[in-house]
Amino acid sequence: MHALYAAGMPNRFTLVAFAPAILLTACGGEPAAPAKAPVHSEAIAHETELVRLKLTPEAQKRLGIVTERVGAGTASAMRMTSGEIVIPAGVGGAPINSASNLQQLAAQQVAADGELARASAQLALARVAYDRASALVDEEAGSIRARDEAKAALGAAKAAADAAAAQRRLLGPSVASLGNQRYVWVRVPVFGSDLAGVQQGQSALISPLGQDGAERSARPVDAPPSANAVAGTVDLYFALDNRDRAYRVGQRVSVALPLAGGRSEGLSVPTSAILRDIYGGEWVYAKAEADTYVRQRIEVAATEGGRAILSRGLRPGTLVVTAGAAELFGTEFGVAH
């Protein structure tokens, strides 16, 4: 027993000896290293300081640089969005768009054409039978009952022919003639919350994507109501003159919708001065000093007649590049020299 007690003594003394060391470390010992911050922020240069170009007079002449001083202007208040070229709907039908199954539609049209031809033939036969029965009654060689039955059969045949014709109209023009439509429709989805701001009953401006200055006016049309509950949009339709076959079914187009606010006022620049990057950002090149150009971000509020009204980005009197902006953009990023 004494041996066991003696053997346990060093362990007890060891614990007692370590206790002061632990207390000293907790109270006044070496501090623990601070935890590493989860986020490290580092200041970088402003975007305008990264795109300053200084050109020699010879280089400016070679690039065809032309500048214009920014001034005030006005334009119709428009909202830029996108739309899709569709084929006009038949009476009460649905428009033919890129989502339509043309093979299935063609089969339905063939069946409807056959039904219409059959109903028309039966109508012609019923009319002949009625005319014969009426002639016999007039000559007192036939019965009035036979004439009345022929008249009823004629009415039934006419109703069947009218129904067949209406069903065919619902399917729209034949698939073979879709590329030869003189007029096409433009389907424009608009968010339900923005619908009140659009001026109803006014024409919209349609242009191919990425082609400024090629706008065409399209008048609003009454179309079967359609909407997308998932996206929260309501479809507006506009009729577009397409006699030159410039647009195809399913083509995406740029649409400028008139707003109820009237006209927008602000600084005006030619649309030729505006550049757009791959992210949709809008830029112009401003002349900062002699032979020095700076790419500045802008925001377009409206466009009309080849000019754009800016909502922000420039100061009055600033010189902007109206010709040669694309060349400066290529020079900045090493595409052109």
Side-chain angles (χ1 to χ4, degrees), residues 12 16 36 80 97 105 138 161 201 232 248 260 275 281 326-327 329:
R12 186 187 304 173
V16 174
K36 186 177 180 180
M80 300 305 299
N97 53 33
L105 178 62
D138 293 340
R248 301 290 181 180
L275 298 168
E327 287 75 8
F329 195 76

Side-chain angles (χ1 to χ4, degrees), residues 99-112 171 175:
S100 301
N101 188 332
L102 296 184
Q103 183 176 3
Q104 180 181 5
L105 178 62
Q108 293 173 347
Q109 289 179 349
V110 170
L171 297 175
V175 172

Side-chain angles (χ1 to χ4, degrees), residues 323-334:
E327 287 75 8
L328 283 178
F329 195 76
T331 301
E332 178 185 343
F333 292 98

Side-chain angles (χ1 to χ4, degrees), residues 20-316:
I22 295 174
L23 293 175
L24 288 175
T25 302
C27 297
E30 218 173 279
K36 186 177 180 180
V39 179
H40 174 68
S41 59
E42 181 179 349
I44 60 174
H46 192 271
E47 62 182 14
T48 57
E49 299 176 5
L50 303 176
V51 290
R52 192 176 297 269
L53 297 176
K54 189 171 183 64
L55 281 70
T56 63
E58 292 78 12
Q60 297 179 57
K61 184 177 180 180
R62 179 166 55 86
L63 295 176
I65 303 299
V66 177
T67 59
E68 179 181 316
R69 197 171 298 277
V70 175
T74 62
S76 300
M78 309 290 282
R79 171 164 295 166
M80 300 305 299
T81 182
S82 62
E84 179 188 3
I85 300 296
V86 300
I87 295 299
V91 179
I96 301 173
N97 53 33
S98 58
S100 301
N101 188 332
L102 296 184
Q103 183 176 3
Q104 180 181 5
L105 178 62
Q108 293 173 347
Q109 289 179 349
V110 170
D113 288 337
E115 179 63 23
L116 178 59
R118 186 185 66 82
S120 299
Q122 289 182 343
L123 175 61
L125 183 60
R127 182 171 289 113
V128 170
Y130 172 72
D131 291 341
R132 183 182 297 114
S134 296
L136 290 175
V137 171
D138 293 340
E139 295 176 1
E140 297 182 355
S143 67
I144 297 177
R145 178 176 179 179
R147 185 190 63 180
D148 293 342
E149 290 177 350
K151 183 177 180 180
L154 176 62
K158 187 177 183 307
D162 291 342
Q167 290 175 353
R168 179 58 188 88
R169 286 195 299 268
L170 289 176
L171 297 175
S174 64
V175 172
S177 65
L178 292 185
N180 300 322
Q181 300 298 312
R182 298 182 59 187
Y183 287 89
V184 294
W185 283 4
V186 183
R187 183 180 64 86
V188 184
V190 178
F191 286 107
S193 57
D194 298 336
L195 191 61
V198 177
Q199 192 168 3
Q200 301 291 332
Q202 296 295 320
S203 298
L205 296 179
I206 312 298
S207 61
L209 291 177
Q211 297 185 21
D212 295 331
E215 295 92 353
R216 295 188 184 186
S217 179
R219 58 180 177 83
V221 294
D222 292 330
S226 62
N228 188 329
V230 176
T233 57
V234 178
D235 294 331
L236 301 179
Y237 289 89
F238 299 86
L240 179 65
D241 189 343
N242 193 42
R243 282 175 284 189
D244 59 352
R245 310 295 187 267
Y247 295 93
R248 301 290 181 180
V249 180
Q251 180 179 350
R252 302 293 297 181
V253 294
S254 176
V255 181
L257 293 175
L259 297 181
R263 300 185 67 83
S264 298
E265 298 182 358
L267 297 180
S268 173
V269 298
T271 54
S272 60
I274 301 173
L275 298 168
R276 291 178 175 85
D277 57 27
I278 61 175
Y279 303 106
E282 298 168 322
W283 306 82
V284 296
Y285 278 98
K287 191 171 185 179
E289 53 190 50
D291 304 327
T292 303
Y293 299 91
V294 176
R295 182 162 55 98
Q296 291 188 234
R297 187 183 295 274
I298 61 170
E299 186 174 313
V300 177
T303 59
E304 184 178 17
R307 301 193 67 85
I309 302 299
L310 308 182
S311 57
R312 67 180 183 92
L314 294 176
R315 294 181 179 180

